[in-house]
Amino acid sequence: MHYFQPLTFTLSNLTSLTATMKYLALALLLCSLPSLSDAACYYMNPELGETATHCQDYVDKTWHPVGSTWRNSECRNCGCSLCCDAYSTPRHFPDDCVSVFDWEECVYIVHKKDDPSVQCPIYAAVGK
């Protein structure tokens, strides 16, 4: 004869369950962090003296006041020591679509391969 024992929660079981839930929540949080780090940024080490008032963009060779921000011709938002891509790159969209980069607007446009006037949904993108 088999007897079924009622499910009872003791304080140690409840504490163990709470700890497990905390670890699962932490794991979920850590899994979501890589998507935040997909932006492409480039650190620069300009040789600015204490009296420097301007720095030079490494791509366009244009001069900008220290502390200002600008967008260069490679679609990067820059400051004197950092440039980051100013766009996100589509990664998942329907197979009958294609992504094309618009250099004037600094955005990817995803449209039907056979009809560029029909835009497609973007399910995932990285950057920015």
Side-chain angles (χ1 to χ4, degrees):
M1 223 195 268
H2 293 284
Y3 291 97
F4 292 102
Q5 292 182 338
L7 183 60
T8 57
F9 284 105
T10 63
L11 185 57
S12 64
N13 286 346
L14 190 56
T15 303
S16 176
L17 181 63
T18 303
T20 302
M21 290 176 61
K22 285 181 183 179
Y23 285 122
L24 288 174
L26 178 61
L28 180 63
L29 175 67
L30 292 176
C31 288
S32 68
L33 289 180
S35 66
L36 299 176
S37 64
D38 285 333
C41 293
Y42 307 92
Y43 291 93
M44 298 159 297
N45 191 12
E47 295 181 20
L48 299 175
E50 291 182 24
T51 59
T53 59
H54 288 76
C55 59
Q56 189 176 30
D57 182 274
Y58 72 102
V59 172
D60 298 333
K61 305 300 182 201
T62 53
W63 289 92
H64 302 273
V66 171
S68 67
T69 58
W70 64 93
R71 182 170 288 176
N72 68 20
S73 63
E74 290 185 349
C75 290
R76 292 193 175 103
N77 292 330
C78 296
C80 287
S81 61
L82 174 72
C83 286
C84 295
D85 290 344
Y87 55 89
S88 56
T89 305
R91 291 290 187 223
H92 298 287
F93 46 84
D95 290 336
D96 63 334
C97 298
V98 64
S99 70
V100 179
F101 192 73
D102 180 349
W103 284 97
E104 288 184 22
E105 297 295 322
C106 296
V107 296
Y108 275 96
I109 299 170
V110 179
H111 60 77
K112 295 280 187 185
K113 290 177 182 176
D114 59 353
D115 187 358
S117 66
V118 178
Q119 290 197 356
C120 298
I122 300 171
Y123 304 122
V126 296
K128 202 169 184 182

